[in-house]
Amino acid sequence: MSTDSSPPLAPWSQMLLSAVNELRALAEEDGAALDSTVQEDLRRLFRAAASLETQLASPALDSHHDQMNSLAAIRGYAEILQEDTAADTTGLGDSLARLLQAVHTAHNGAANPPPPARRTMAAEPGFILAVDDLQENRELVARYLSRSGHLVVTAASGAEALQALATTDVDVVLLDLMMPDMDGREVLRRIKEHPEWRATPVIVISGSQDMDGIIACIEAGADDYLFKPFNPVLLQARIKAGIERKRWHDREEQYRQQLERNEKFIRATFGRYLSDEIVTEILERPEGLELGGDLREVTIMMSDIRGFTTLSEHLAPQQVVAMLNRYLGTMTDIIMTYNGTIDEFIGDAILTVFGAPQRRDDDADRAVRCALAMQDAMATINADNRAAGLPELATGIALNTGSVIAGNIGSERRSKYGFVGHPMNVTSRIEDHCQGGEILISDSTASKLQGTYALSDRRELAIRGIEQSVAVQRIREAGHD
Protein backbone atom coordinates (compact mmCIF):
# COMPACT_ATOMS: atom_id res chain seq x y z
CA MET A 1 0.00 0.00 0.00
CA SER A 2 1.29 3.48 -0.82
CA THR A 3 1.23 6.47 1.54
CA ASP A 4 2.94 8.99 -0.84
CA SER A 5 2.09 12.56 0.27
CA SER A 6 -1.08 11.57 2.12
CA PRO A 7 -1.69 13.14 5.53
CA PRO A 8 -0.21 11.24 8.49
CA LEU A 9 -2.29 8.26 9.53
CA ALA A 10 -3.52 7.69 13.06
CA PRO A 11 -1.62 5.05 15.07
CA TRP A 12 -4.45 2.52 14.73
CA SER A 13 -4.47 3.07 10.97
CA GLN A 14 -0.73 2.46 10.70
CA MET A 15 -1.06 -0.67 12.82
CA LEU A 16 -3.94 -2.00 10.74
CA LEU A 17 -2.40 -1.29 7.35
CA SER A 18 0.89 -2.79 8.50
CA ALA A 19 -0.95 -5.99 9.52
CA VAL A 20 -2.68 -6.07 6.14
CA ASN A 21 0.65 -5.71 4.32
CA GLU A 22 2.12 -8.52 6.42
CA LEU A 23 -0.88 -10.71 5.60
CA ARG A 24 -0.59 -9.86 1.91
CA ALA A 25 3.08 -10.87 1.83
CA LEU A 26 2.33 -14.20 3.49
CA ALA A 27 -0.56 -14.85 1.11
CA GLU A 28 1.65 -14.14 -1.92
CA GLU A 29 4.40 -16.38 -0.55
CA ASP A 30 2.14 -19.33 0.31
CA GLY A 31 -0.70 -18.76 -2.14
CA ALA A 32 -0.30 -22.15 -3.78
CA ALA A 33 -0.91 -23.89 -0.46
CA LEU A 34 -4.22 -22.11 0.19
CA ASP A 35 -7.52 -23.46 -1.05
CA SER A 36 -9.72 -21.43 -3.37
CA THR A 37 -12.19 -20.36 -0.67
CA VAL A 38 -9.43 -18.93 1.53
CA GLN A 39 -7.89 -17.17 -1.47
CA GLU A 40 -11.23 -15.58 -2.36
CA ASP A 41 -11.79 -14.38 1.23
CA LEU A 42 -8.27 -12.90 1.26
CA ARG A 43 -8.99 -11.01 -1.97
CA ARG A 44 -12.17 -9.58 -0.43
CA LEU A 45 -10.26 -8.58 2.72
CA PHE A 46 -7.56 -6.82 0.68
CA ARG A 47 -10.23 -5.05 -1.37
CA ALA A 48 -11.84 -3.71 1.82
CA ALA A 49 -8.44 -2.63 3.13
CA ALA A 50 -7.73 -0.73 -0.10
CA SER A 51 -11.07 1.08 0.26
CA LEU A 52 -10.23 1.97 3.86
CA GLU A 53 -6.83 3.37 2.88
CA THR A 54 -8.46 5.54 0.22
CA GLN A 55 -11.02 6.81 2.74
CA LEU A 56 -8.30 7.61 5.27
CA ALA A 57 -6.24 9.47 2.67
CA SER A 58 -9.16 11.61 1.43
CA PRO A 59 -11.73 11.85 4.21
CA ALA A 60 -15.22 12.98 3.13
CA LEU A 61 -18.23 14.20 5.12
CA ASP A 62 -19.59 10.68 5.46
CA SER A 63 -16.14 9.07 5.84
CA HIS A 64 -16.95 7.63 9.27
CA HIS A 65 -19.79 5.53 7.86
CA ASP A 66 -17.60 4.37 4.96
CA GLN A 67 -14.73 3.54 7.33
CA MET A 68 -17.05 1.48 9.52
CA ASN A 69 -18.19 -0.47 6.46
CA SER A 70 -14.60 -1.19 5.48
CA LEU A 71 -13.59 -2.12 9.02
CA ALA A 72 -16.59 -4.45 9.25
CA ALA A 73 -15.51 -6.21 6.05
CA ILE A 74 -11.89 -6.48 7.20
CA ARG A 75 -12.89 -7.84 10.59
CA GLY A 76 -15.43 -10.24 9.14
CA TYR A 77 -13.15 -11.84 6.60
CA ALA A 78 -10.25 -11.91 9.07
CA GLU A 79 -12.37 -13.86 11.57
CA ILE A 80 -13.61 -16.25 8.87
CA LEU A 81 -10.03 -16.77 7.67
CA GLN A 82 -8.78 -17.25 11.23
CA GLU A 83 -11.29 -20.03 11.72
CA ASP A 84 -10.61 -21.63 8.33
CA THR A 85 -6.79 -21.55 8.75
CA ALA A 86 -6.62 -22.57 12.40
CA ALA A 87 -4.71 -25.74 11.54
CA ASP A 88 -2.44 -24.28 8.88
CA THR A 89 1.31 -23.76 9.32
CA THR A 90 1.82 -20.85 6.95
CA GLY A 91 1.85 -18.23 9.68
CA LEU A 92 -1.45 -16.69 8.53
CA GLY A 93 -3.00 -17.33 11.94
CA ASP A 94 -0.57 -15.02 13.81
CA SER A 95 -0.88 -12.35 11.13
CA LEU A 96 -4.68 -12.52 11.27
CA ALA A 97 -4.60 -12.22 15.07
CA ARG A 98 -2.54 -9.03 14.80
CA LEU A 99 -4.92 -7.70 12.15
CA LEU A 100 -7.95 -8.36 14.36
CA GLN A 101 -6.18 -6.62 17.26
CA ALA A 102 -5.68 -3.60 15.00
CA VAL A 103 -9.35 -3.60 14.02
CA HIS A 104 -10.30 -3.83 17.68
CA THR A 105 -8.06 -0.86 18.49
CA ALA A 106 -9.53 1.13 15.58
CA HIS A 107 -13.06 0.48 16.73
CA ASN A 108 -12.59 0.80 20.49
CA GLY A 109 -9.74 3.29 20.73
CA ALA A 110 -7.58 1.03 22.91
CA ALA A 111 -5.14 -1.76 22.25
CA ASN A 112 -6.42 -3.91 25.10
CA PRO A 113 -8.23 -6.08 25.87
CA PRO A 114 -7.88 -8.22 22.71
CA PRO A 115 -10.99 -9.08 20.75
CA PRO A 116 -13.06 -11.91 22.24
CA ALA A 117 -12.54 -15.41 20.92
CA ARG A 118 -14.88 -16.37 18.13
CA ARG A 119 -17.50 -18.94 19.06
CA THR A 120 -20.44 -20.44 17.21
CA MET A 121 -23.95 -19.74 18.49
CA ALA A 122 -26.18 -22.78 17.99
CA ALA A 123 -29.42 -21.67 16.39
CA GLU A 124 -32.27 -23.03 14.36
CA PRO A 125 -31.52 -22.33 10.67
CA GLY A 126 -33.56 -19.47 9.31
CA PHE A 127 -34.25 -17.52 6.13
CA ILE A 128 -32.35 -14.23 6.44
CA LEU A 129 -32.72 -11.16 4.21
CA ALA A 130 -29.61 -8.95 4.25
CA VAL A 131 -30.22 -5.46 2.86
CA ASP A 132 -27.19 -3.28 2.05
CA ASP A 133 -26.23 -1.19 -0.98
CA LEU A 134 -22.56 -2.25 -0.72
CA GLN A 135 -21.76 -5.59 -2.31
CA GLU A 136 -18.88 -6.34 0.08
CA ASN A 137 -21.21 -5.99 3.07
CA ARG A 138 -23.82 -8.28 1.52
CA GLU A 139 -21.17 -10.88 0.66
CA LEU A 140 -19.73 -10.77 4.17
CA VAL A 141 -23.08 -11.25 5.91
CA ALA A 142 -23.97 -14.06 3.54
CA ARG A 143 -20.63 -15.77 4.28
CA TYR A 144 -21.08 -15.37 8.04
CA LEU A 145 -24.60 -16.68 8.24
CA SER A 146 -24.41 -19.45 5.64
CA ARG A 147 -21.60 -20.97 7.73
CA SER A 148 -24.11 -21.24 10.59
CA GLY A 149 -26.61 -23.06 8.40
CA HIS A 150 -28.84 -20.09 7.55
CA LEU A 151 -30.24 -19.51 4.10
CA VAL A 152 -29.35 -15.95 3.12
CA VAL A 153 -30.82 -13.81 0.37
CA THR A 154 -29.49 -10.31 -0.24
CA ALA A 155 -30.97 -7.08 -1.53
CA ALA A 156 -28.97 -4.11 -2.85
CA SER A 157 -31.73 -1.54 -2.33
CA GLY A 158 -34.89 -0.85 -0.41
CA ALA A 159 -37.03 -1.67 -3.44
CA GLU A 160 -35.31 -5.05 -3.83
CA ALA A 161 -35.86 -5.73 -0.13
CA LEU A 162 -39.60 -5.12 -0.36
CA GLN A 163 -39.81 -7.29 -3.47
CA ALA A 164 -38.02 -10.12 -1.62
CA LEU A 165 -40.42 -9.82 1.31
CA ALA A 166 -43.36 -10.02 -1.06
CA THR A 167 -42.17 -13.28 -2.62
CA THR A 168 -40.49 -15.17 0.25
CA ASP A 169 -41.22 -16.00 3.88
CA VAL A 170 -38.37 -14.18 5.64
CA ASP A 171 -37.50 -14.95 9.28
CA VAL A 172 -35.19 -11.97 10.01
CA VAL A 173 -34.24 -8.82 8.11
CA LEU A 174 -30.74 -7.33 8.51
CA LEU A 175 -31.09 -3.72 7.40
CA ASP A 176 -28.55 -1.05 6.58
CA LEU A 177 -29.75 2.53 7.04
CA MET A 178 -27.71 4.58 4.59
CA MET A 179 -28.82 3.57 1.10
CA PRO A 180 -29.63 5.66 -1.99
CA ASP A 181 -33.18 6.16 -3.26
CA MET A 182 -35.05 4.41 -0.41
CA ASP A 183 -33.09 4.46 2.86
CA GLY A 184 -33.35 1.92 5.64
CA ARG A 185 -35.75 4.00 7.73
CA GLU A 186 -38.30 4.03 4.92
CA VAL A 187 -37.88 0.27 4.40
CA LEU A 188 -38.39 -0.26 8.14
CA ARG A 189 -41.53 1.88 8.13
CA ARG A 190 -43.05 -0.06 5.23
CA ILE A 191 -42.23 -3.42 6.81
CA LYS A 192 -43.88 -2.50 10.10
CA GLU A 193 -46.95 -1.03 8.40
CA HIS A 194 -47.52 -4.10 6.23
CA PRO A 195 -50.05 -6.50 7.80
CA GLU A 196 -48.17 -9.62 6.67
CA TRP A 197 -44.62 -8.40 7.35
CA ARG A 198 -44.91 -6.42 10.57
CA ALA A 199 -44.09 -9.45 12.75
CA THR A 200 -40.81 -10.06 10.89
CA PRO A 201 -37.89 -9.08 13.19
CA VAL A 202 -35.70 -6.31 11.80
CA ILE A 203 -32.12 -5.83 13.03
CA VAL A 204 -30.58 -2.55 11.93
CA ILE A 205 -26.81 -2.76 11.25
CA SER A 206 -25.23 0.65 10.71
CA GLY A 207 -22.02 2.57 11.11
CA SER A 208 -23.99 5.51 12.49
CA GLN A 209 -23.98 5.89 16.28
CA ASP A 210 -26.35 8.87 16.39
CA MET A 211 -28.47 8.27 19.50
CA ASP A 212 -31.52 10.11 18.14
CA GLY A 213 -31.39 7.98 15.01
CA ILE A 214 -31.09 4.78 17.06
CA ILE A 215 -34.10 5.74 19.21
CA ALA A 216 -36.11 6.61 16.08
CA CYS A 217 -35.42 3.17 14.62
CA ILE A 218 -36.42 1.37 17.82
CA GLU A 219 -39.61 3.45 18.06
CA ALA A 220 -40.36 2.63 14.41
CA GLY A 221 -40.31 -1.07 15.25
CA ALA A 222 -36.69 -2.22 14.85
CA ASP A 223 -36.01 -5.18 17.11
CA ASP A 224 -32.34 -4.34 17.59
CA TYR A 225 -29.56 -2.00 16.48
CA LEU A 226 -25.96 -3.15 15.94
CA PHE A 227 -22.96 -1.00 15.08
CA LYS A 228 -20.46 -1.71 12.32
CA PRO A 229 -18.13 -3.48 12.54
CA PHE A 230 -20.56 -5.84 14.27
CA ASN A 231 -19.65 -8.56 16.71
CA PRO A 232 -20.48 -11.83 14.92
CA VAL A 233 -21.36 -13.66 18.13
CA LEU A 234 -23.72 -10.86 19.13
CA LEU A 235 -25.24 -10.87 15.64
CA GLN A 236 -25.84 -14.62 15.83
CA ALA A 237 -27.48 -14.20 19.24
CA ARG A 238 -29.78 -11.49 17.90
CA ILE A 239 -30.67 -13.60 14.87
CA LYS A 240 -31.36 -16.61 17.06
CA ALA A 241 -33.72 -14.56 19.23
CA GLY A 242 -35.37 -13.08 16.12
CA ILE A 243 -35.94 -16.51 14.55
CA GLU A 244 -37.49 -17.78 17.80
CA ARG A 245 -39.84 -14.77 17.91
CA LYS A 246 -40.81 -15.31 14.28
CA ARG A 247 -41.41 -19.02 14.87
CA TRP A 248 -43.66 -18.25 17.85
CA HIS A 249 -45.57 -15.71 15.80
CA ASP A 250 -45.96 -18.15 12.91
CA ARG A 251 -47.27 -20.83 15.28
CA GLU A 252 -49.69 -18.36 16.86
CA GLU A 253 -50.87 -17.34 13.40
CA GLN A 254 -51.39 -21.00 12.48
CA TYR A 255 -53.37 -21.53 15.70
CA ARG A 256 -55.46 -18.44 14.96
CA GLN A 257 -56.19 -19.61 11.42
CA GLN A 258 -57.07 -23.06 12.73
CA LEU A 259 -59.45 -21.51 15.26
CA GLU A 260 -61.06 -19.47 12.48
CA ARG A 261 -61.45 -22.60 10.36
CA ASN A 262 -62.92 -24.46 13.32
CA GLU A 263 -65.36 -21.64 14.01
CA LYS A 264 -66.41 -21.52 10.35
CA PHE A 265 -66.89 -25.28 10.44
CA ILE A 266 -68.98 -25.02 13.61
CA ARG A 267 -71.07 -22.22 12.15
CA ALA A 268 -71.53 -24.09 8.86
CA THR A 269 -72.33 -27.40 10.55
CA PHE A 270 -74.54 -26.25 13.40
CA GLY A 271 -76.05 -23.56 11.19
CA ARG A 272 -77.85 -26.42 9.47
CA TYR A 273 -79.64 -27.18 12.71
CA LEU A 274 -79.68 -23.86 14.56
CA SER A 275 -80.17 -20.25 13.53
CA ASP A 276 -77.11 -18.02 13.10
CA GLU A 277 -78.09 -16.07 16.20
CA ILE A 278 -78.11 -19.17 18.39
CA VAL A 279 -74.76 -20.36 17.03
CA THR A 280 -73.29 -16.91 17.72
CA GLU A 281 -74.74 -16.99 21.24
CA ILE A 282 -73.05 -20.33 21.90
CA LEU A 283 -69.68 -19.34 20.40
CA GLU A 284 -69.38 -15.89 21.94
CA ARG A 285 -70.94 -16.51 25.34
CA PRO A 286 -69.88 -19.69 27.19
CA GLU A 287 -72.81 -19.24 29.54
CA GLY A 288 -75.02 -19.62 26.48
CA LEU A 289 -74.63 -23.39 26.89
CA GLU A 290 -76.02 -23.39 30.43
CA LEU A 291 -79.47 -24.85 30.97
CA GLY A 292 -82.23 -22.40 31.76
CA GLY A 293 -84.12 -19.58 30.12
CA ASP A 294 -86.11 -16.42 30.56
CA LEU A 295 -89.56 -15.08 29.70
CA ARG A 296 -89.73 -13.50 26.25
CA GLU A 297 -92.51 -12.00 24.18
CA VAL A 298 -92.17 -13.56 20.75
CA THR A 299 -94.13 -14.00 17.54
CA ILE A 300 -94.47 -17.68 16.67
CA MET A 301 -94.91 -18.97 13.13
CA MET A 302 -96.08 -22.48 12.28
CA SER A 303 -96.17 -23.59 8.64
CA ASP A 304 -97.30 -26.94 7.25
CA ILE A 305 -97.91 -28.50 3.83
CA ARG A 306 -101.59 -29.33 3.37
CA GLY A 307 -102.24 -33.02 2.75
CA PHE A 308 -98.57 -33.95 2.64
CA THR A 309 -99.11 -37.35 4.22
CA THR A 310 -101.61 -38.34 1.52
CA LEU A 311 -99.33 -37.02 -1.24
CA SER A 312 -96.30 -38.90 0.02
CA GLU A 313 -98.16 -42.21 0.08
CA HIS A 314 -98.24 -42.19 -3.73
CA LEU A 315 -94.58 -41.32 -4.26
CA ALA A 316 -91.32 -43.24 -4.05
CA PRO A 317 -89.18 -42.44 -0.97
CA GLN A 318 -86.59 -40.66 -3.12
CA GLN A 319 -89.27 -38.42 -4.60
CA VAL A 320 -90.68 -37.59 -1.18
CA VAL A 321 -87.24 -36.61 0.11
CA ALA A 322 -86.44 -34.54 -3.00
CA MET A 323 -89.76 -32.69 -2.81
CA LEU A 324 -89.46 -32.07 0.92
CA ASN A 325 -85.85 -30.88 0.72
CA ARG A 326 -86.72 -28.47 -2.09
CA TYR A 327 -89.52 -27.01 0.00
CA LEU A 328 -87.63 -26.87 3.31
CA GLY A 329 -84.50 -25.45 1.68
CA THR A 330 -86.40 -22.56 0.13
CA MET A 331 -88.37 -21.87 3.30
CA THR A 332 -85.24 -21.95 5.47
CA ASP A 333 -83.48 -19.36 3.32
CA ILE A 334 -86.49 -17.05 3.55
CA ILE A 335 -86.83 -17.47 7.31
CA MET A 336 -83.17 -16.69 7.91
CA THR A 337 -83.42 -13.65 5.62
CA TYR A 338 -86.02 -12.27 8.02
CA ASN A 339 -83.95 -13.23 11.11
CA GLY A 340 -86.30 -15.91 12.29
CA THR A 341 -85.12 -18.64 14.66
CA ILE A 342 -86.07 -22.09 13.41
CA ASP A 343 -87.00 -24.07 16.49
CA GLU A 344 -87.44 -27.37 14.65
CA PHE A 345 -88.70 -29.22 11.60
CA ILE A 346 -91.58 -31.55 12.41
CA GLY A 347 -91.90 -33.64 9.29
CA ASP A 348 -93.09 -31.14 6.70
CA ALA A 349 -93.94 -28.53 9.36
CA ILE A 350 -91.63 -25.68 10.36
CA LEU A 351 -91.79 -24.07 13.80
CA THR A 352 -90.17 -20.63 13.83
CA VAL A 353 -89.89 -17.87 16.42
CA PHE A 354 -89.20 -14.15 15.98
CA GLY A 355 -87.87 -12.33 19.07
CA ALA A 356 -85.42 -14.79 20.62
CA PRO A 357 -82.58 -15.11 21.26
CA GLN A 358 -82.42 -11.52 19.96
CA ARG A 359 -85.40 -9.24 20.34
CA ARG A 360 -86.24 -6.53 17.79
CA ASP A 361 -88.97 -3.92 17.75
CA ASP A 362 -90.37 -5.24 14.46
CA ASP A 363 -90.56 -8.93 15.39
CA ALA A 364 -94.25 -9.23 14.48
CA ASP A 365 -93.83 -7.34 11.18
CA ARG A 366 -90.86 -9.46 10.15
CA ALA A 367 -92.85 -12.60 10.93
CA VAL A 368 -95.70 -11.41 8.70
CA ARG A 369 -93.39 -10.37 5.87
CA CYS A 370 -91.61 -13.72 6.15
CA ALA A 371 -94.91 -15.61 5.93
CA LEU A 372 -95.94 -13.58 2.87
CA ALA A 373 -92.58 -14.28 1.19
CA MET A 374 -92.95 -17.99 1.94
CA GLN A 375 -96.37 -18.10 0.27
CA ASP A 376 -95.03 -16.16 -2.74
CA ALA A 377 -92.20 -18.68 -3.08
CA MET A 378 -94.63 -21.55 -3.49
CA ALA A 379 -95.14 -20.64 -7.16
CA THR A 380 -91.45 -21.27 -7.90
CA ILE A 381 -91.41 -24.46 -5.82
CA ASN A 382 -94.44 -25.82 -7.67
CA ALA A 383 -92.95 -24.94 -11.05
CA ASP A 384 -89.87 -27.00 -10.13
CA ASN A 385 -92.09 -29.82 -8.89
CA ARG A 386 -94.02 -29.91 -12.15
CA ALA A 387 -90.77 -30.03 -14.12
CA ALA A 388 -89.66 -32.97 -11.99
CA GLY A 389 -92.97 -34.80 -12.39
CA LEU A 390 -93.98 -34.17 -8.77
CA PRO A 391 -97.29 -32.89 -7.40
CA GLU A 392 -97.88 -29.27 -6.51
CA LEU A 393 -97.92 -28.25 -2.87
CA ALA A 394 -99.95 -25.78 -0.81
CA THR A 395 -98.95 -24.57 2.65
CA GLY A 396 -100.83 -23.01 5.53
CA ILE A 397 -99.14 -20.59 7.92
CA ALA A 398 -100.23 -19.46 11.38
CA LEU A 399 -98.85 -16.53 13.42
CA ASN A 400 -99.39 -15.89 17.09
CA THR A 401 -97.73 -13.56 19.63
CA GLY A 402 -97.29 -14.22 23.33
CA SER A 403 -94.87 -14.74 26.21
CA VAL A 404 -92.90 -17.98 26.29
CA ILE A 405 -89.88 -19.32 28.18
CA ALA A 406 -86.91 -19.25 25.80
CA GLY A 407 -83.62 -20.94 26.60
CA ASN A 408 -81.60 -24.13 26.74
CA ILE A 409 -83.94 -26.99 27.50
CA GLY A 410 -82.98 -30.62 28.14
CA SER A 411 -80.16 -32.25 30.10
CA GLU A 412 -76.41 -31.77 30.41
CA ARG A 413 -75.88 -34.48 27.77
CA ARG A 414 -78.57 -33.43 25.30
CA SER A 415 -80.18 -30.03 25.13
CA LYS A 416 -81.54 -27.53 22.59
CA TYR A 417 -82.42 -23.90 22.44
CA GLY A 418 -86.19 -24.07 22.51
CA PHE A 419 -89.45 -22.49 23.62
CA VAL A 420 -92.07 -23.56 26.12
CA GLY A 421 -95.40 -21.96 26.84
CA HIS A 422 -99.11 -21.76 26.13
CA PRO A 423 -98.72 -19.53 22.99
CA MET A 424 -96.75 -22.33 21.29
CA ASN A 425 -99.71 -24.69 21.60
CA VAL A 426 -102.15 -21.99 20.47
CA THR A 427 -100.10 -21.38 17.31
CA SER A 428 -100.16 -25.06 16.46
CA ARG A 429 -103.95 -25.17 16.88
CA ILE A 430 -104.40 -22.10 14.67
CA GLU A 431 -102.29 -23.74 11.98
CA ASP A 432 -104.66 -26.71 11.99
CA HIS A 433 -107.39 -24.35 10.67
CA CYS A 434 -105.29 -22.91 7.81
CA GLN A 435 -106.21 -23.64 4.22
CA GLY A 436 -103.62 -24.05 1.49
CA GLY A 437 -102.11 -20.67 0.57
CA GLU A 438 -103.62 -19.02 3.64
CA ILE A 439 -101.95 -17.03 6.43
CA LEU A 440 -103.90 -16.69 9.69
CA ILE A 441 -102.78 -14.37 12.46
CA SER A 442 -104.14 -13.99 15.97
CA ASP A 443 -105.30 -10.67 17.41
CA SER A 444 -102.23 -10.70 19.65
CA THR A 445 -100.04 -10.51 16.54
CA ALA A 446 -102.27 -8.05 14.66
CA SER A 447 -102.06 -5.61 17.59
CA LYS A 448 -98.23 -5.55 17.35
CA LEU A 449 -98.01 -4.74 13.64
CA GLN A 450 -96.51 -1.43 12.58
CA GLY A 451 -96.86 -1.85 8.81
CA THR A 452 -99.95 -1.68 6.61
CA TYR A 453 -101.52 -4.99 5.65
CA ALA A 454 -104.86 -6.20 4.35
CA LEU A 455 -106.78 -8.09 7.06
CA SER A 456 -109.98 -9.98 6.37
CA ASP A 457 -112.27 -12.83 7.38
CA ARG A 458 -112.03 -12.25 11.12
CA ARG A 459 -113.44 -15.18 13.04
CA GLU A 460 -113.35 -16.93 16.40
CA LEU A 461 -111.74 -20.36 16.56
CA ALA A 462 -112.68 -22.94 19.14
CA ILE A 463 -109.27 -24.36 20.04
CA ARG A 464 -109.14 -27.90 21.32
CA GLY A 465 -107.84 -28.00 24.89
CA ILE A 466 -108.30 -24.24 25.38
CA GLU A 467 -111.37 -22.85 27.15
CA GLN A 468 -111.49 -19.47 25.43
CA SER A 469 -111.84 -19.06 21.69
CA VAL A 470 -109.08 -17.38 19.70
CA ALA A 471 -109.75 -14.56 17.23
CA VAL A 472 -107.85 -14.84 13.95
CA GLN A 473 -107.77 -13.02 10.63
CA ARG A 474 -106.43 -13.67 7.17
CA ILE A 475 -103.59 -11.37 6.19
CA ARG A 476 -101.99 -10.30 2.95
CA GLU A 477 -99.98 -7.29 1.84
CA ALA A 478 -101.97 -4.13 1.26
CA GLY A 479 -102.82 -3.71 -2.44
CA HIS A 480 -102.60 -7.45 -3.18
CA ASP A 481 -105.63 -9.57 -3.89
Side-chain angles (χ1 to χ4, degrees):
M1 294 186 179
S2 173
T3 54
D4 298 329
S5 60
S6 303
L9 299 178
W12 69 262
S13 307
Q14 296 173 348
M15 178 181 175
L16 187 145
L17 296 178
S18 175
V20 169
N21 285 329
E22 177 186 341
L23 185 63
R24 187 192 300 275
L26 285 171
E28 291 174 352
E29 180 180 344
D30 300 307
L34 303 175
D35 66 37
S36 58
T37 301
V38 171
Q39 292 182 35
E40 179 60 29
D41 286 340
L42 282 168
R43 282 193 289 271
R44 290 171 176 171
L45 187 154
F46 296 146
R47 204 161 51 232
S51 296
L52 177 63
E53 185 175 17
T54 300
Q55 295 154 10
L56 292 171
S58 304
L61 291 176
D62 58 351
S63 61
H64 178 75
H65 176 265
D66 293 338
Q67 290 174 22
M68 291 301 101
N69 277 321
S70 297
L71 282 171
I74 293 170
R75 173 179 176 169
Y77 286 113
E79 288 179 334
I80 291 173
L81 286 163
Q82 191 178 49
E83 183 175 317
D84 287 347
T85 60
D88 108 302
T89 58
T90 61
L92 285 180
D94 292 339
S95 182
L96 287 166
R98 284 188 287 275
L99 176 57
L100 286 170
Q101 180 64 73
V103 173
H104 174 76
T105 302
H107 188 239
N108 296 281
N112 290 303
R118 176 179 175 86
R119 68 185 179 92
T120 301
M121 178 75 61
E124 180 182 0
F127 196 107
I128 314 300
L129 172 61
V131 188
D132 199 304
D133 62 315
L134 297 180
Q135 180 179 352
E136 57 266 31
N137 290 346
R138 298 194 301 274
E139 291 175 346
L140 173 61
V141 170
R143 287 280 286 122
Y144 259 135
L145 299 181
S146 60
R147 291 163 69 89
S148 300
H150 299 297
L151 179 62
V152 184
V153 63
T154 62
S157 66
E160 282 188 25
L162 298 179
Q163 184 177 7
L165 284 164
T167 56
T168 55
D169 185 15
V170 174
D171 292 315
V172 177
V173 176
L174 305 180
L175 180 63
D176 184 37
L177 288 184
M178 298 183 67
M179 296 185 294
D181 300 326
M182 185 189 301
D183 65 11
R185 292 178 180 83
E186 176 62 16
V187 176
L188 175 62
R189 183 186 69 79
R190 296 197 186 189
I191 291 175
K192 293 306 176 180
E193 288 182 354
H194 196 286
E196 296 179 8
W197 306 341
R198 62 168 60 115
T200 304
V202 177
I203 301 173
V204 174
I205 302 179
S206 175
S208 173
Q209 299 189 24
D210 172 54
M211 186 55 63
D212 290 339
I214 296 171
I215 293 172
C217 286
I218 299 299
E219 289 178 342
D223 294 77
D224 216 324
Y225 194 109
L226 298 180
F227 300 125
K228 294 178 180 177
F230 56 81
N231 183 309
V233 175
L234 185 59
L235 176 62
Q236 288 186 56
R238 296 293 192 261
I239 289 175
K240 178 182 178 182
I243 291 174
E244 289 176 352
R245 284 196 301 274
K246 183 63 162 49
R247 294 288 188 268
W248 274 108
H249 172 269
D250 290 346
R251 283 192 287 270
E252 289 175 357
E253 182 65 15
Q254 290 174 359
Y255 295 151
R256 185 188 65 78
Q257 292 176 359
Q258 183 63 46
L259 287 173
E260 287 183 354
R261 286 194 294 269
N262 290 344
E263 182 173 336
K264 288 179 180 178
F265 173 78
I266 291 171
R267 287 185 183 276
T269 301
F270 287 95
R272 299 174 63 185
Y273 306 97
L274 305 169
S275 71
D276 289 343
E277 290 180 349
I278 296 175
V279 175
T280 299
E281 187 88 359
I282 292 172
L283 291 174
E284 297 183 359
R285 295 178 54 222
E287 63 272 20
L289 290 171
E290 296 176 0
L291 295 177
D294 54 4
L295 195 64
R296 298 282 190 96
E297 182 179 82
V298 298
T299 295
I300 308 148
M301 180 175 71
M302 184 82 172
S303 63
D304 191 20
I305 298 174
R306 305 292 85 180
F308 183 77
T309 301
T310 302
L311 289 173
S312 61
E313 290 176 350
H314 300 87
L315 299 172
Q318 296 87 343
Q319 292 177 305
V320 173
V321 171
M323 185 170 61
L324 191 57
N325 284 346
R326 179 181 294 115
Y327 167 77
L328 293 177
T330 302
M331 296 299 112
T332 297
D333 289 343
I334 294 171
I335 291 168
M336 290 190 169
T337 298
Y338 287 92
N339 300 115
T341 298
I342 298 176
D343 181 43
E344 58 183 326
F345 297 113
I346 311 168
D348 60 300
I350 308 173
L351 179 57
T352 306
V353 171
F354 295 81
Q358 185 174 353
R359 179 190 175 279
R360 295 177 174 86
D361 292 336
D362 64 341
D363 287 331
D365 284 86
R366 282 185 297 104
V368 168
R369 292 198 300 274
C370 179
L372 292 167
M374 290 167 68
Q375 290 291 20
D376 288 343
M378 292 305 299
T380 301
I381 291 173
N382 284 326
D384 291 339
N385 283 347
R386 287 193 300 271
L390 297 172
E392 296 187 13
L393 304 176
T395 184
I397 303 176
L399 297 170
N400 180 41
T401 301
S403 296
V404 300
I405 296 174
N408 293 319
I409 300 168
S411 68
E412 293 294 337
R413 298 190 63 181
R414 180 71 172 89
S415 64
K416 61 165 285 188
Y417 188 89
F419 307 90
V420 176
H422 179 64
M424 306 294 291
N425 298 326
V426 171
T427 309
S428 177
R429 298 294 183 263
I430 295 173
E431 192 270 329
D432 289 339
H433 290 267
C434 289
Q435 301 298 315
E438 188 176 48
I439 303 173
L440 295 181
I441 69 168
S442 66
D443 280 357
S444 61
T445 298
S447 65
K448 299 291 182 179
L449 296 177
Q450 303 172 31
T452 302
Y453 307 92
L455 300 174
S456 62
D457 192 22
R458 190 176 190 279
R459 59 188 186 271
E460 299 283 335
L461 298 180
I463 302 297
R464 177 168 47 87
I466 300 174
E467 293 183 1
Q468 295 180 339
S469 62
V470 177
V472 298
Q473 302 176 70
R474 292 181 61 191
I475 187 169
R476 63 182 187 276
E477 287 186 274
H480 285 65
D481 295 331

